[in-house]
Amino acid sequence: MPDRIHLAVALDGAGWHPAAWRESTARPTELTTPVYWRDLARTADGAGLLFATIEDALSLGGRSFEPDAETRRDRVRGRLDAVLLASFLAPVTRRLGLVPTATTAHPEPFHLATGLQTLDHASRGRAGVRLVAGSTPQERANFGRRADGPTGIPASGRVEDDPALLAAFREAGEVAEVIRRLADSWEDDAIVRDLETGKFLDRERVHNVEFEGEFFSITGASIVPRSPQGQPLITALAHQTIPYRFAAEHADLVFVTPADAAAVGGILNELADAADEVRTLDEPLRVFADLLILVEDTRREAEAVWNRLQDRSPLATDARVVVGTADDVVDEIRALAEAGADGVRLRPARLPADLDAIAERVVPRAAAAGILLPDDGAPTLRERVGLPRLASRYARQEVGA
């Protein structure tokens, strides 16, 4: 029996290639319409993908530190708020996990936590979040409340060589902790609804989180009752040591970008070493490898499309790129599974074209090859990933567990 893994998808505008919006298969006039995102989500849902991440940023230029990111005209500009969009998609999908991206430097942790809890209620237990540490100078300018922060990647390429980036990851860790604590602040049976006595809420089962950190403090409880999943699935993208440590300490699932399947083992070892030092969560960290894909019927056709896109606006990416047929993509998925990845997150170069190819060609071929984990019917995203639904930490303390 081959190694079996989950498949997920990363959704971003017209696709991950910056020139994808100019393709004849694209829908550039619909990128901020509900029907466009509904169609994407339903395609992913119908294909049986585990979850979809939704990209987001807090400036026109996105997460780019390029000096012309805000002014260039050849890239898609404008987007919908990812958390709000995910809440819209919740009732129009059935099984698909919804994992919006959230920048940790500017939104208040309380607002982010309650938004994710609301998403979990709206989706009946399918909510997650991809936390992004730090912000660009333009994102900070859009808020106007803090001048400090990263200005780019240091010349060494190492996060640990920039104090501002190190601080951003510490702040992101506090945000992750507050999200979990606020999710736990209501016990499952806190709402009584006793019509005879007129008692709606057992206030003793709603707990103040009493968090005091380097960047903020919180003393209250969430305004949202305990959600179906208990805690949303917390995810992060990691490329090197400090992000690996952040994921090992705070995330349930991490996205990694190996150059090829042979590189997976080294990443898994580094994540395991980090987990030995900092992880306090009971369950092991789930690891999904990213692949950016462009799929056509033949490799020649795929390469022709890729070359056209690159001529228009070259793509720079951290992820391995697979340009070819559905069988080529399945071969890469199989190799990553054999290397030890728990899942693969596919980044479609073009939307909706490559998402359609995933649904119509990649998933059926991967399923026929026996490398996909089947949907086991578990009711929540956390359980489908293989994580238990945890009781409130305050309830556990109360009974002495």
Side-chain angles (χ1 to χ4, degrees), residues 19-60:
W21 66 275
R22 298 176 63 184
E23 290 293 289
S24 61
T25 56
R27 295 161 60 180
T29 63
E30 303 176 55
L31 299 182
T32 54
T33 64
V35 67
Y36 177 76
W37 287 95
R38 181 201 64 192
D39 290 349
L40 295 181
R42 283 182 170 173
T43 298
D45 196 29
L49 299 179
L50 179 63
F51 58 78
T53 59
I54 303 169
E55 294 303 299
D56 206 353
L58 300 176
S59 72
L60 287 177

Side-chain angles (χ1 to χ4, degrees), residues 92-325:
V92 300
T93 52
R94 295 176 55 254
R95 296 289 289 159
L96 184 71
L98 299 167
V99 184
T101 296
T103 301
T104 58
H106 298 290
E108 290 292 337
F110 186 89
H111 289 155
L112 180 55
T114 55
L116 294 172
Q117 290 172 271
T118 301
L119 172 59
D120 206 43
H121 279 288
S123 64
R124 298 183 180 181
R126 294 182 281 128
V129 64
R130 185 175 80 85
L131 296 180
V132 175
S135 60
T136 65
Q138 185 56 47
E139 287 177 311
R140 293 192 291 276
N142 282 344
F143 284 81
R145 290 161 60 179
R146 57 195 299 180
D148 62 311
T151 57
I153 304 301
S156 67
R158 294 161 24 112
V159 170
E160 55 263 44
D161 293 336
D162 185 346
L165 282 172
L166 288 174
F169 276 98
R170 293 198 304 274
E171 181 180 39
E174 291 189 8
V175 172
E177 176 63 17
V178 168
I179 288 172
R180 293 189 188 277
R181 291 195 188 198
L182 287 171
D184 282 349
S185 63
W186 290 57
E187 297 183 35
D188 289 318
D189 55 356
I191 296 180
V192 178
R193 299 189 188 92
D194 190 321
L195 300 181
E196 185 173 336
T197 64
K199 183 178 182 180
F200 183 86
L201 178 69
D202 184 347
R203 189 60 181 85
E204 292 184 358
R205 296 187 181 277
V206 179
H207 306 271
N208 290 344
V209 301
E210 302 297 347
F211 177 85
E212 183 73 33
E214 177 184 356
F215 298 91
F216 48 78
S217 60
I218 292 179
T219 60
S222 176
I223 58 172
V224 182
R226 184 89 165 152
S227 65
Q229 206 166 202
Q231 293 185 4
L233 187 76
I234 293 181
T235 77
L237 175 66
H239 309 286
Q240 53 177 285
T241 300
I242 297 301
Y244 289 154
R245 288 178 65 87
F246 168 78
E249 184 171 6
H250 298 289
D252 300 303
L253 185 151
V254 61
F255 305 109
V256 298
T257 54
D260 52 32
V264 171
I267 293 173
L268 293 177
N269 289 338
E270 186 163 0
L271 286 168
D273 290 343
D276 287 342
E277 293 182 24
V278 300
R279 191 166 181 83
T280 58
L281 302 173
D282 294 333
E283 294 295 318
L285 180 67
R286 271 49 178 180
V287 182
F288 277 47
D290 277 8
L291 285 179
L292 196 156
I293 66 167
L294 188 152
V295 180
E296 290 288 344
D297 290 333
T298 68
R299 289 184 186 175
R300 178 175 293 182
E301 291 173 321
E303 289 168 357
V305 174
W306 181 260
N307 291 337
R308 179 173 68 243
L309 293 171
Q310 288 290 85
D311 287 341
R312 288 173 172 171
S313 186
L315 166 72
T317 179
D318 54 315
R320 179 168 175 78
V321 178
V322 180
V323 176
T325 67

